[in-house]
């Protein structure tokens, strides 16, 4: 779903390769369908991967699977091999960090964070989906699109509305020009076909898979189309397949607004540190009054109301980073110091910096036909904004390039899970990016699945972060296949604590970002792209 456009190590983990596509003659067609050539494994560009003994290479696949002898593209792949005995080895574990558009090349490190050494039984596979990161070609449309001090998100005047519509149309046009033929072949079904090619290239009859956020939808489509190839699948932050994709974004807006009230209450709880108000109501008022003040006078001439809103979106996604966000909030409100805001929203315009956003749109805009009647967008977003204003128009404009997207839209796969084996679902009750109702729906569609609920939590895709109840269930499933019993009714099968809210202290708030969290450290989460 909608990703946070935050700085990652995408540039440093990329493989040094030539640009463009591979001529058709570079890969042999070996059997009906498509059989890829072996991956030529070598060293990785990422120091973190090399330190773990990882191997990197490229998977060669057709741009268009309907023309397997035609133009080829390359997908960047990494592998960290199992360290268990041969008898304990359980095959490959493909991974996906979500997005769509998230770079997954370094996600092969995930196995080391599974408790009880249960990750050691698998070869962990990270890969950049087609169009993403170090894969060739990689889509970039306009690196300055998310620049500083943009027009106010909320279209309170006709001129603002026209400005944003033109801006969104301009981005879709830039992507159409930059992407060319690639844009017609980046649907979820194309990446599922790539996963099948990866399975073949790795010599596996079945795959294991760990997917976050959008990666859960990717897994749903794979398990529907290839149920006999499914072994152990973990889906964390579960997408509702009935709502892809326009309706899913409207669903997000409601829960994000509710989650921000939880965040504002947390800020008020620590008023002795941040001095932003002793009640959630007061903190919330300061958030919105500051937002409106930035319309006329942006912080440092750069952080306007949109950038301010973007900075706080992460607080609705998860509890990670609440301290840094709040410190920036307090520094500006109390001291008029914009430096921490600028750290939270860094200078845009780096080469390829819009790749994640471009590929997010490329997938979602072409997966399914979006409404092209602007009056529908107006009605739906003003209706939601009236009660849940935090992110309604932010999200609307984020997705608005889909109105004029150049690629021909597809028809989503009807998700059917009756033939799939046991699958582990994980969701927190108040996940905003993938609302909990989606996890319940997928539990219905996959009758052998088991759902673990982080009760009361607001974190999206937070597994392997030190919550023993959840992480031990994951470890048991991966090691032995054991899962909690499935219960009757439309509810979770096991209940665990959520990822805990941080507990700041007056002396630690400014240095928290340098400390590792329990379980999967924050810096590692950033490196592997897990949001």
């Amino acid at each position: 779903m909608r990703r946070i456009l935050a700085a990652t190590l995408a540039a440093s983990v990329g493989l040094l390769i030539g640009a463009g596509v591979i001529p058709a003659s570079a890969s042999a067609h070996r059997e009906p369908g498509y059989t890829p050539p072996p991956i030529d494994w070598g060293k990785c560009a990422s120091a973190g991967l090399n330190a773990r003994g990882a191997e990197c290479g490229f998977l060669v696949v057709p741009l268009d699977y309907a023309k397997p002898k035609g133009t080829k593209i390359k997908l960047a792949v990494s592998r960290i091999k199992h360290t268990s005995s041969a008898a304990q080895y359980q095959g490959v574990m493909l991974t996906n960090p979500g997005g769509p558009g998230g770079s997954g090349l370094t996600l092969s490190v995930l196995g080391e964070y599974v408790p009880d050494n249960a990750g050691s039984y698998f070869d962990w596979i990270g890969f950049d989906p087609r169009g993403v990161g170090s894969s060739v070609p990689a889509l970039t449309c306009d690196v300055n699109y998310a620049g500083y001090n943009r027009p106010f998100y909320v279209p309170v005047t006709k001129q603002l509305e026209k400005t944003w519509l033109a801006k969104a149309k301009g981005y879709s046009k830039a992507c159409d020009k930059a992407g060319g033929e690639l844009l017609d072949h980046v649907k979820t079904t194309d990446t599922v076909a790539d996963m099948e090619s990866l399975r073949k290239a790795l010599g596996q009859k079945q795959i294991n898979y760990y997917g976050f956020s959008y990666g859960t939808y990717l897994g749903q489509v794979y398990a529907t189309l290839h149920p006999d190839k499914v072994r152990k699948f973990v889906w964390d932050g579960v997408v509702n397949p009935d709502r892809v994709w326009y309706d899913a974004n409207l669903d997000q807006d409601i829960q994000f607004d509710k989650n921000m009230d939880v965040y504002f209450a947390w800020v008020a709880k620590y008023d002795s540190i941040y001095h932003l108000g002793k009640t959630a109501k007061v903190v919330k008022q300061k958030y919105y009054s500051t937002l409106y003040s930035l319309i006329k006078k942006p912080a440092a001439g750069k952080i306007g109301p949109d950038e301010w809103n973007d900075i706080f979106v992460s607080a609705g996604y998860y509890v990670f980073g609440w301290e840094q966000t709040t410190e920036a909030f307090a520094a500006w409100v109390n001291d008029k110091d914009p430096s921490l805001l600028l750290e939270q929203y860094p200078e845009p315009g780096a080469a390829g910096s819009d790749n994640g956003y471009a590929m997010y749109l490329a997938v979602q805009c072409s997966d399914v036909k979006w409404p092209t009647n602007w009056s529908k967008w107006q009605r739906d977003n003003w209706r939601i904004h009236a009660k849940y204003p935090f992110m309604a128009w932010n999200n609307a404009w984020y997705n608005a390039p889909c109105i004029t997207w150049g690629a021909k839209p597809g028809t989503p796969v009807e998700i059917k899970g009756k033939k799939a084996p046991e699958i582990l679902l994980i969701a927190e009750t108040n996940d905003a990016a993938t609302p909990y109702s989606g996890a319940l729906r997928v539990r219905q569609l996959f009758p052998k699945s088991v759902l673990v609920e982080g009760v009361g939590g607001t974190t999206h895709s937070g597994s392997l972060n030190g919550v023993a109840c959840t992480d031990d269930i994951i470890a048991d499933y991966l090691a032995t296949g054991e899962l909690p019993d499935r219960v009757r009714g439309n509810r979770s099968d096991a209940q665990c604590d959520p990822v805990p809210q941080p507990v700041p202290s007056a002396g630690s708030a400014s240095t928290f970002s340098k400390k590792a969290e329990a379980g999967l450290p924050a810096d590692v989460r950033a490196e592997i792209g897990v949001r």
Side-chain angles (χ1 to χ4, degrees):
M1 305 296 288
R2 185 188 190 278
R3 302 177 68 240
I4 297 291
L5 292 180
T8 67
L9 297 184
S12 64
V13 301
L15 295 158
L16 300 178
I17 51 179
V21 296
I22 304 172
S25 60
S27 175
H29 177 65
R30 300 179 180 176
E31 63 178 40
Y34 175 74
T35 300
I39 297 172
D40 185 13
W41 296 105
K43 289 193 68 174
C44 302
S46 164
L49 287 178
N50 284 328
R52 292 169 169 86
E55 303 170 293
C56 289
F58 290 98
L59 175 72
V60 177
V61 297
L63 175 65
D64 181 357
Y65 277 92
K67 300 175 181 178
K69 294 184 179 180
T71 301
K72 303 298 188 299
I73 59 176
K74 299 191 291 187
L75 308 185
V77 184
S78 71
R79 176 174 67 180
I80 296 180
K81 289 185 176 182
H82 68 285
T83 56
S84 68
S85 67
Q88 293 174 310
Y89 177 62
Q90 298 192 41
V92 299
M93 177 73 72
L94 273 61
T95 58
N96 182 274
S103 170
L105 184 60
T106 54
L107 199 57
S108 54
V109 307
L110 192 63
E112 69 187 72
Y113 297 99
V114 182
D116 301 327
N117 209 34
S120 68
Y121 306 145
F122 304 87
D123 294 338
W124 287 79
I125 308 297
F127 71 100
D128 282 347
R130 54 176 57 206
V132 174
S134 296
S135 291
V136 183
L139 181 65
T140 180
C141 308
D142 179 0
V143 297
N144 294 308
Y145 186 70
Y148 284 135
N149 195 24
R150 291 160 293 158
F152 187 30
Y153 280 140
V154 184
V156 292
T157 67
K158 281 292 183 183
Q159 186 58 47
L160 275 170
E161 182 180 80
K162 289 179 181 179
T163 299
W164 268 109
L165 284 170
K167 188 174 172 67
K169 184 177 181 179
Y171 192 81
S172 65
K173 185 177 180 180
C175 287
D176 198 35
K177 181 179 179 180
E181 192 179 1
L182 176 70
L183 291 194
D184 291 318
H185 304 289
V186 291
K187 298 175 179 65
T188 297
T189 47
D190 292 304
T191 298
V192 165
D194 291 339
M195 290 169 65
E196 266 295 271
S197 292
L198 189 50
R199 178 189 63 79
K200 294 177 183 178
L202 296 171
Q204 303 289 312
K205 292 183 178 180
Q206 293 180 311
I207 62 169
N208 304 282
Y209 176 75
Y210 203 123
F212 298 90
S213 194
Y214 164 77
T216 71
Y217 180 65
L218 189 62
Q220 292 169 41
V221 176
Y222 184 94
T224 297
L225 298 178
H226 307 287
D228 58 320
K229 304 298 190 300
V230 174
R231 195 170 179 275
K232 294 178 180 179
F233 276 33
V234 180
W235 297 337
D236 181 7
V238 187
V239 169
N240 186 339
D242 297 341
R243 304 289 285 174
V244 298
W245 290 114
Y246 177 81
D247 292 327
N249 283 280
L250 297 178
D251 295 342
Q252 288 180 332
D253 298 339
I254 297 170
Q255 190 61 53
F256 265 102
D257 201 282
K258 294 178 179 179
N259 283 6
M260 289 309 296
D261 287 340
V262 177
Y263 164 72
F264 293 139
W266 177 87
V267 175
K269 181 179 179 181
Y270 295 103
D271 181 61
S272 62
I273 296 174
Y274 300 115
H275 309 295
L276 290 166
K278 295 183 178 181
T279 68
K281 182 178 181 181
V282 171
V283 176
K284 185 174 184 176
Q285 288 173 338
K286 284 189 178 179
Y287 166 83
Y288 280 105
S289 64
T290 303
L291 181 148
Y292 288 114
S293 73
L294 293 171
I295 296 175
K296 291 185 178 180
K297 191 175 181 180
K302 297 179 178 181
I303 304 298
D306 299 357
E307 295 72 44
W308 177 261
N309 187 216
D310 282 355
I311 287 168
F312 284 84
V313 165
S314 63
Y317 262 94
Y318 38 63
V319 299
F320 310 118
W322 275 10
E323 288 153 307
Q324 297 97 307
T325 299
T326 311
E327 193 176 0
F329 187 1
W332 176 249
V333 170
N334 297 330
D335 304 319
K336 289 296 179 280
D337 176 1
S339 61
L340 298 181
L341 293 175
L342 293 170
E343 287 182 13
Q344 293 284 305
Y345 198 99
E347 182 86 39
S353 59
D354 71 323
N355 174 248
Y357 178 54
M359 282 306 303
Y360 164 89
L361 291 172
V363 175
Q364 290 210 356
C365 296
S366 62
D367 254 358
V368 60
K369 183 174 176 59
W370 285 61
T372 56
N373 185 340
W374 177 242
S375 63
K376 176 174 175 56
W377 288 66
Q378 285 178 313
R379 288 194 305 272
D380 289 341
N381 285 284
W382 277 121
R383 171 177 52 84
I384 292 174
H385 175 84
K387 190 173 182 181
Y388 305 103
F390 173 72
M391 205 177 78
W393 281 106
N394 177 331
N395 213 9
W397 297 124
Y398 194 90
N399 291 281
C402 288
I403 300 171
T404 56
W405 199 253
K408 183 179 179 180
T411 301
V413 171
E414 182 181 359
I415 300 301
K416 297 180 179 180
K418 290 185 178 180
K419 294 182 180 180
E422 293 179 329
I423 290 172
L424 175 57
L425 314 178
I426 303 166
E428 293 206 349
T429 313
N430 299 309
D431 183 342
T434 52
Y436 185 68
S437 56
L440 293 175
R441 177 58 178 149
V442 171
R443 182 179 177 274
Q444 292 174 341
L445 293 170
F446 288 81
K448 295 179 183 177
S449 66
V450 168
L451 172 60
V452 177
E453 177 185 1
V455 179
T458 61
T459 291
H460 172 58
S461 295
S463 61
L464 300 182
N465 268 280
V467 179
C469 174
T470 300
D471 294 354
D472 288 348
I473 290 173
I474 296 169
D476 288 344
Y477 174 57
L478 296 187
T480 67
E482 180 182 350
L483 282 171
D485 292 335
R486 185 174 165 111
V487 301
R488 292 179 179 271
N490 187 32
R491 56 196 178 101
S492 59
D493 302 288
Q495 297 76 42
C496 293
D497 288 335
V499 177
Q501 296 178 359
V503 180
S505 64
S508 67
S510 63
T511 59
F512 178 83
S513 63
K514 299 177 183 178
K515 298 178 181 179
E517 301 171 37
L520 192 64
D523 58 341
V524 173
R525 290 181 67 86
E527 177 174 351
I528 64 181
V530 177
R531 303 293 182 229

